[in-house]
Amino acid sequence: MQLAKKAGFDQVNVRQNMDKNSGNKKPKAGLGSEVVSLAKTNIRDYMMYIALVVIMIFFAVKTDGGFLDARNITNLINQAGYVAVMAVGMTIILIICHIDLSVGYVAGFSGAVAAILMTKYHVNEWLAILIVLVLGLVIGLYQGLLVTKVGVPAFVTTLAGMFIFRGLLNISLQDTGTIIIPNEGFKSLSNGFIPDFVKGGSIHYLTMVIGGILIVAMIYSQVKTRLNKVKYDFEVPSIQIFVFKQIVISGVIMLVMWTLANYQGIPWTAVIVGVVLLAYNYMLNKTKLGRAIYGIGGNAQAAELSGINVKKVTLFAFCSVSLMASLGGILYTSRLQAATPTAGLGFEMDAIASCYIGGVAVSGGVGRVTNTIIGTLVIMSLTNGMNLIGTDISYQYIVKGLIFVIAVAFDVRSRKKK
């Protein structure tokens, strides 16, 4: 009893001492010191944004502003769309320490199947899209079962898949060659724009309204997140930096929306990518499945011991990445308005590079789909800009390879320092 009482008194004394010392925290550093500290702590995340800004400024100068022209920004969004959705799916696979090398030709084959359904069998375009997405799920199920049930390594399974679906793509188009798609609804996915509620206006008013809604939603989400962190005593940046960040992000959103509004508005590609991004971001950050994915990436054995069904989550990841590959194939085929035998060549490299440039850890367990989209914009901005200035395709591959390896090397070094 005496020992218990003494322990109780000790706990009370500790609490009292903590309460007394709570007011003796170190005074907050100045604004400049805080900025430097944030920059050092989040240097890996900031670098991709810095790289994107530098790339855009460089090509804007080299093209006398043509790179930032509304028409080219729209073209860049449509170019990046198919890579973006594949990269979002690839992010999940890389987080759990697997890889999918087949996504390029899964995308190419999916586009060919959609074209054949619409032209040869006269299937409605929306039904054809649904069938192709189901095909993507089946492909993911097949490859996922090989990995989880049979035990074939993901690298081998998907490398074999790359050969298989490249062969299927060639077989499906060997009699017809390139298939021109006449369906206007299908072509509008990557070439159309959301309609405006004002006809014949000088700007696209709906685009500006959507921009305003995005800003309000973004600020609301950021304020809510900050209040939750304060509530549970997590460290947050000063109010000055927080407000400055919201102003900068809001300014960027309105600048992009204003640029698009002065052309034809928001492309349907951007809407599709936005829906995919929101769905995956919610899944990773707000659900048990998302926590399981990060847990498996951090330590698969520990995750299994904690009750996570690693095989089921892995199977989901393979179904997910193949589904996104099929969606990417639909967007690419829609953009070209045709299915071609070369579709899918190198798509997987752009998707993987986008993930790693976007901050997915080589060792797994770390990655965000929002950052992956930035990585996609970096890769596709390089491609778009080099095409505008007439850079030879050979040099384009060299530049993209160098950017890729620099990003990964920087990531590895920065994580070692941490």
Side-chain angles (χ1 to χ4, degrees):
M1 279 297 280
Q2 288 180 350
L3 286 173
K5 285 181 180 179
K6 185 179 179 184
F9 284 129
D10 287 342
Q11 288 177 3
V12 171
N13 288 334
V14 168
R15 266 192 232 108
Q16 288 175 345
N17 288 332
M18 288 175 64
D19 292 339
K20 288 177 183 177
N21 293 329
S22 62
N24 297 329
K25 291 179 181 178
K26 291 180 181 179
K28 286 188 177 180
L31 193 60
S33 301
E34 186 182 1
V35 171
V36 172
S37 176
L38 284 171
K40 287 181 178 178
T41 305
N42 301 286
I43 185 65
R44 180 63 186 83
D45 288 339
Y46 293 160
M47 279 306 296
M48 73 184 85
Y49 292 98
I50 294 170
L52 181 60
V53 170
V54 169
I55 289 168
M56 287 188 162
I57 292 173
F58 174 79
F59 286 120
V61 172
K62 294 290 286 184
T63 59
D64 295 323
F67 181 81
L68 296 178
D69 180 72
R71 182 185 295 271
N72 189 61
I73 293 297
T74 301
N75 186 42
L76 174 60
I77 292 171
N78 288 330
Q79 278 183 326
Y82 72 94
V83 176
V85 294
M86 288 193 293
V88 167
M90 186 68 73
T91 300
I92 309 300
I93 283 287
L94 295 177
I95 287 175
I96 63 171
C97 304
H98 287 295
I99 196 167
D100 190 340
L101 299 174
S102 68
V103 292
Y105 285 109
V106 169
F109 176 59
S110 298
V113 170
I116 291 168
L117 287 172
M118 288 182 287
T119 56
K120 185 176 181 180
Y121 297 102
H122 306 291
V123 176
N124 176 272
E125 57 258 45
W126 308 114
L127 179 58
I129 289 170
L130 181 61
I131 291 171
V132 169
L133 292 178
V134 172
L135 173 64
L137 281 174
V138 172
I139 291 170
L141 185 64
Y142 149 70
Q143 296 195 130
L145 287 173
L146 278 179
V147 174
T148 59
K149 298 296 184 183
V150 182
V152 182
F155 182 88
V156 176
T157 297
T158 58
L159 182 61
M162 178 193 290
F163 294 135
I164 291 168
F165 296 113
R166 183 174 187 173
L168 289 172
L169 170 62
N170 291 333
I171 290 170
S172 62
L173 298 178
Q174 66 182 359
D175 293 332
T176 58
T178 298
I179 299 176
I180 306 299
I181 298 172
N183 302 62
E184 293 300 325
F186 186 85
K187 292 190 291 185
S188 68
L189 289 176
S190 285
N191 297 285
F193 302 83
I194 60 173
D196 197 3
F197 50 72
V198 176
K199 301 294 183 181
S202 57
I203 66 170
H204 199 277
Y205 292 100
L206 182 57
T207 297
M208 298 305 296
V209 171
I210 292 173
I213 293 172
L214 286 175
I215 289 172
V216 172
M218 181 272 299
I219 293 175
Y220 172 78
S221 175
Q222 291 290 312
V223 170
K224 185 178 178 181
T225 301
R226 180 183 174 87
L227 291 175
N228 283 334
K229 286 183 176 181
V230 171
K231 180 180 177 181
Y232 294 105
D233 205 26
F234 285 102
E235 187 177 356
V236 293
S238 65
I239 191 65
Q240 294 95 327
I241 290 179
F242 177 78
V243 171
F244 177 74
K245 179 182 175 183
Q246 306 316 308
I247 292 172
V248 170
I249 296 174
S250 300
V252 170
I253 291 173
M254 285 311 297
L255 179 62
V256 172
M257 291 299 176
W258 175 255
T259 302
L260 295 176
N262 279 278
Y263 183 51
Q264 297 186 59
I266 300 174
W268 281 116
T269 301
V271 176
I272 294 168
V273 173
V275 170
V276 169
L277 176 62
L278 287 174
Y280 273 81
N281 190 57
Y282 179 83
M283 182 270 291
L284 281 175
N285 294 307
K286 302 292 184 181
T287 67
K288 289 182 179 179
L289 176 59
R291 290 190 288 273
I293 288 169
Y294 284 117
I296 292 169
N299 189 321
Q301 290 181 335
E304 191 158 18
L305 290 172
S306 68
I308 295 172
N309 192 323
V310 175
K311 289 185 177 180
K312 280 188 177 180
V313 175
T314 303
L315 187 61
F316 165 81
F318 275 96
C319 289
S320 168
V321 72
S322 293
L323 175 65
M324 289 299 103
S326 289
L327 179 57
I330 289 168
L331 291 177
Y332 181 78
T333 306
S334 169
R335 181 169 170 271
L336 289 187
Q337 304 181 29
T340 67
T342 59
L345 179 63
F347 288 7
E348 69 283 347
M349 294 297 104
D350 284 336
I352 293 169
S354 297
C355 295
Y356 285 131
I357 291 172
V360 175
V362 179
S363 56
V366 176
R368 289 188 291 182
V369 288
T370 48
N371 288 351
T372 292
I373 297 298
I374 302 300
T376 302
L377 288 175
V378 169
I379 284 290
M380 299 313 292
S381 293
L382 277 172
T383 302
N384 180 278
M386 288 189 288
N387 284 334
L388 285 177
I389 63 176
T391 305
D392 185 85
I393 188 66
S394 302
Y395 292 107
Q396 290 190 30
Y397 282 124
I398 293 170
V399 170
K400 288 200 288 187
L402 288 173
I403 295 293
F404 182 24
V405 75
I406 289 169
V408 174
F410 183 83
D411 177 68
V412 171
R413 296 298 298 174
S414 60
R415 294 191 194 283
K416 277 186 178 180
K417 287 180 180 180
K418 284 185 180 180

